[in-house]
Amino acid sequence: MPEPHRYYLTTAIAYANSRPGLHTLYEVVGADAIARWHRMRGDDTFFLTGTDEYSVNIATTASRLGKTPRAFVDEMVELFRTAEDGLAIAPDRFIRTTDPDHVRAVHEMIRRAYANGDLYQGTYEGWYCPNEGFKAPSDLVEDAGGVHCPNHPGVELQWLTERNWFFRLSAYQERLERYYAEHPDWVQPEYRRNEMLGFIRQGLEDFSVSREKAPWGIPFPIMPDGSSSQRPDGSWDPEAGTVYVWFDALTNYVTGVGFPEDPDRFARWWPADLHIIGKDINRLHTIMWPAMLMSAGLPLPRRVWVHGWLLVQGERMSKSRGNFLDPNDVVAALGTDGARYVLLREVAFDRDSDVSWDSFVRRYNADLANDFGNLVNRSLSMAGRYLDGARPEARAEFEAPLATAWRQALAAHEEKMSAFLLHDALAALWEFVAAANRFVDAEQPWALAKAARGGDDAAAARLRGVLGDLLEACRLVGLAAAPFLPNVAARLAGQLGVPYPYGPTGAGGPPLVELLRWGAGPTGGRIGTPVPLFPRLETEAQLAGQAGPGGAAGTPG
RNA sequence: GGCGGAGUAGCUCAGUGGUAGAGCAGGGGACUCAUAAGCCCUUGGUCGCAGGUCCGAAUCCUGCCUCCGCUACCA
């Protein structure tokens, strides 16, 4: 199958209610690596991420801090962008639900649903927890004192009645089931698909898409009588209420690529190739969102990938639990590329994984400092010492044992990347790194060098071949791992004395597959000065010191 | 409660009928190019429990125990 010429991928937009946690940016780091992989392969890539900024809670928090909601989210967004910069995340657009074009896109989605007969006025009523919003009866606990929210037992519940617009999700059950049947892998991993299919088969209820009493939101564009809620002066009639935040949030995926104002751009990028989301919002993305798109007459995304959570001692890392790591601390301790690597290697992309400072440091030292970093360092040092810094060429594929190992490693790596198993994709590359380290000990270049100095021409030739193979191995791993290690990849190329043709976001060079062939590097030239790419981290205590007070999760003591 | 998944070495996991595996962590060794890294060897498991089928079960069947996911409007 030919590679698609364009690739559009998204993350869920992050809820801008407080500073970002590592567990939130994990998803963005994974998406960024996939985006870079596509850019380097030569695909025209559009990577969208951003922030979800409307909600009653945000308005409440802002008010408590004496700020306007807008001023508050501006501050939060700045924190997200700074943390993402630290992780070398390079979106093609950072979308905010407060962006003006997004408001217009949401209005268009609402109008289309209305025109399609999928919106009607109804009444929503139920127990309302001031901290969490409306609660389903099954989510409440009842005792002698009455009914309360299990998460906020001290907060008194209110019985509220809202007149809302409802979306006719019930009308989409069959169409969704058919879509699932005709696109069996559109939700992955498979068990996540099965959960949603089971949910659909239970029958679907309509859901509300407006809120009467949530002023911090996108104005609902339609009055109860079906007329526009926009007034002559351009403002929106507050009587119409606001758009339910999930309807708003999901729409960001089409806003980001030009809906509805730039039809050419939208036609080029939509449907999305990939939505990457957390398992907690699976239903929104694989039931509600496709129904919204069907209603609007738009094609459905090709794939939704549901990743797992970061766990701390078996519990979900989250801001409310307070057991989260600050991404800035992790970057300070491990570096940008080190942080990206340990996150994506240590956490399985298809399920939950326990993380800790200890596991990060061990992974960093074992894989980056000891295995790969040291391989680069020892290979360059030997070339500098034994060959006077002249860059030796790799041997031909048929006489280079590492070339065979590379072919296998690359095939495994690409298979895992295509399946979004990022941790396994890295593991495949690192098996090759281990093979290269074994190769050094098997060949003993220092012994060859000694023989060569003694006038053994065959040993001298073999030495050049062995070192050429090793530098080639380093070049190949550096390039293949570049979506994960974008900064180090460029530095490594400099040390190896080979060009690095890709730009800061991974775009601009030749298709990666060409440069990943054994022997595809330039010939001749000189190597640079070896400088450790990943300085070894000595102790956890040292790390904890660097990490500061925010680094609570898994810190000893 | 219903549906689904999992329990294998200290940790994370692979292994769907034929003499228990990997990585990391732990122990020992030889080497020296290297970030005291790398390489080689190695300790360690009644494969959740109890039955059953089979010449043979981590693997199939039954029951039980434990854990997890989904079971609709915080985002």
Side-chain angles (χ1 to χ4, degrees):
Chain A
M1 213 165 70
E3 197 63 32
H5 292 293
R6 59 91 170 161
Y7 199 84
Y8 174 36
L9 76 163
T10 70
T11 68
I13 45 177
Y15 188 37
N17 67 333
S18 66
R19 62 189 305 107
L22 188 67
H23 54 293
T24 303
L25 295 192
Y26 164 68
E27 167 178 314
V28 188
V29 173
D32 184 76
I34 294 170
R36 287 173 183 275
W37 188 62
H38 278 280
R39 291 192 195 107
M40 292 180 76
R41 290 163 69 86
D43 295 335
D44 200 0
T45 303
F46 196 88
F47 170 34
L48 182 75
T49 189
T51 42
D52 183 12
E53 305 181 19
Y54 291 115
S55 84
V56 175
N57 287 344
I58 283 176
T60 308
T61 304
S63 152
R64 185 159 42 77
L65 296 172
K67 293 171 180 168
T68 65
R70 178 65 201 218
F72 173 71
V73 293
D74 282 351
E75 285 174 25
M76 292 304 113
V77 167
E78 197 48 41
L79 295 177
F80 274 82
R81 301 206 65 153
T82 301
E84 292 190 4
D85 282 349
L87 286 161
I89 287 159
D92 294 283
R93 174 173 175 184
F94 187 98
I95 191 170
R96 303 180 53 176
T97 55
T98 50
D99 287 339
D101 63 338
H102 179 64
V103 175
R104 294 192 288 271
V106 169
H107 284 170
E108 179 63 15
M109 288 294 286
I110 292 280
R111 287 191 202 103
R112 287 194 183 197
Y114 181 76
N116 201 42
D118 286 325
L119 296 189
Y120 63 92
Q121 288 245 301
T123 302
Y124 191 93
E125 62 177 2
W127 287 109
Y128 182 87
C129 168
N131 288 20
E132 273 192 38
F134 280 102
K135 302 292 292 181
S138 58
D139 288 341
L140 297 171
V141 293
E142 187 165 6
D143 60 25
V147 182
H148 359 231
C149 169
N151 302 324
H152 306 91
V155 177
E156 191 171 343
L157 293 178
Q158 305 160 20
W159 182 265
L160 287 188
T161 302
E162 278 216 350
R163 187 152 174 80
N164 287 337
W165 288 91
F166 278 76
F167 179 88
R168 235 179 269 285
L169 185 65
S170 54
Y172 285 87
Q173 175 169 352
E174 254 180 56
R175 273 174 280 185
L176 285 169
E177 281 193 53
R178 196 179 328 129
Y179 191 79
Y180 273 71
E182 289 168 0
H183 304 83
D185 55 1
W186 99 281
V187 182
Q188 290 183 320
E190 192 181 4
Y191 71 103
R192 295 293 175 201
R193 173 196 116 99
N194 293 339
E195 286 174 357
M196 290 306 107
L197 197 50
F199 184 89
I200 294 168
R201 285 177 176 151
Q202 285 174 20
L204 297 176
E205 296 170 14
D206 299 343
F207 66 94
S208 55
V209 295
S210 70
R211 288 292 182 272
E212 255 187 313
K213 305 178 182 83
W216 178 237
I218 291 179
F220 201 83
I222 300 173
M223 295 300 281
D225 65 1
S227 64
S228 171
S229 68
Q230 191 165 29
R231 298 185 286 204
D233 67 355
S235 68
W236 299 89
D237 190 338
E239 287 300 307
T242 54
V243 177
Y244 173 49
V245 286
W246 264 112
F247 193 99
D248 153 17
L250 290 163
T251 298
N252 94 85
Y253 302 128
V254 292
T255 308
V257 288
F259 178 85
E261 297 174 326
D262 190 342
D264 291 342
R265 189 162 155 261
F266 184 63
R268 167 161 178 68
W269 292 105
W270 192 260
D273 293 276
L274 176 65
H275 289 322
I276 297 177
I277 61 165
K279 63 182 185 179
D280 48 332
I281 53 177
N282 191 4
R283 200 174 59 231
L284 285 307
H285 283 79
T286 60
I287 295 176
M288 193 189 290
W289 176 228
M292 285 166 58
L293 288 167
M294 287 175 180
S295 179
L298 298 175
L300 270 49
R302 293 174 179 151
R303 180 148 306 164
V304 176
W305 178 264
V306 186
H307 66 77
W309 284 337
L310 274 62
L311 306 179
V312 178
Q313 294 172 355
E315 290 218 308
R316 180 188 185 186
M317 185 184 285
S318 71
K319 284 180 250 187
S320 58
R321 288 175 197 275
N323 61 351
F324 67 101
L325 290 171
D326 185 327
N328 301 308
D329 291 342
V330 180
V331 170
L334 307 180
T336 294
D337 290 23
R340 290 169 64 98
Y341 180 88
V342 299
L343 257 182
L344 297 179
R345 178 66 184 85
E346 199 63 16
V347 183
F349 211 51
D350 61 340
R351 57 175 181 264
D352 297 351
S353 298
D354 226 277
V355 301
S356 65
W357 271 113
D358 186 52
S359 69
F360 285 169
V361 171
R362 276 218 296 251
R363 181 62 76 178
Y364 175 98
N365 277 339
D367 286 15
L368 296 179
N370 298 349
D371 287 347
F372 184 48
N374 187 50
L375 173 69
V376 170
N377 201 240
R378 68 198 302 209
S379 300
L380 284 169
S381 294
M382 288 189 283
R385 176 181 297 208
Y386 302 145
L387 304 177
D388 265 339
R391 210 170 65 77
E393 286 175 32
R395 290 178 290 189
E397 207 168 337
F398 71 88
E399 56 182 348
L402 283 181
T404 307
W406 174 248
R407 194 163 355 125
Q408 292 165 355
L410 183 60
H413 173 71
E414 301 212 316
E415 183 195 327
K416 298 301 185 183
M417 284 299 287
S418 303
F420 310 113
L421 300 173
L422 306 183
H423 57 297
D424 287 334
L426 284 171
L429 293 182
W430 257 254
E431 276 180 38
F432 176 72
V433 170
N437 273 317
R438 286 193 295 272
F439 179 71
V440 175
D441 286 82
E443 293 291 343
Q444 302 191 31
W446 50 93
L448 292 171
K450 192 171 178 186
R453 278 196 302 275
D456 184 338
D457 290 343
R462 187 173 184 91
L463 176 63
R464 279 193 302 277
V466 165
L467 294 179
D469 289 356
L470 284 171
L471 294 182
E472 179 65 354
C474 294
R475 182 187 73 85
L476 291 165
V477 172
L479 271 176
F484 301 85
L485 307 171
N487 298 321
V488 162
R491 284 177 57 208
L492 169 61
Q495 292 187 23
L496 293 173
V498 302
Y500 187 77
Y502 300 100
T505 69
L512 185 59
V513 60
E514 291 174 14
L515 292 186
L516 287 181
R517 284 201 316 269
W518 181 267
T523 58
R526 301 187 61 78
I527 60 167
T529 308
V531 178
L533 296 168
F534 301 100
R536 187 178 164 81
L537 302 169
E538 290 308 330
T539 64
E540 285 172 46
Q542 199 175 55
L543 266 178
Q546 286 179 30
T555 305

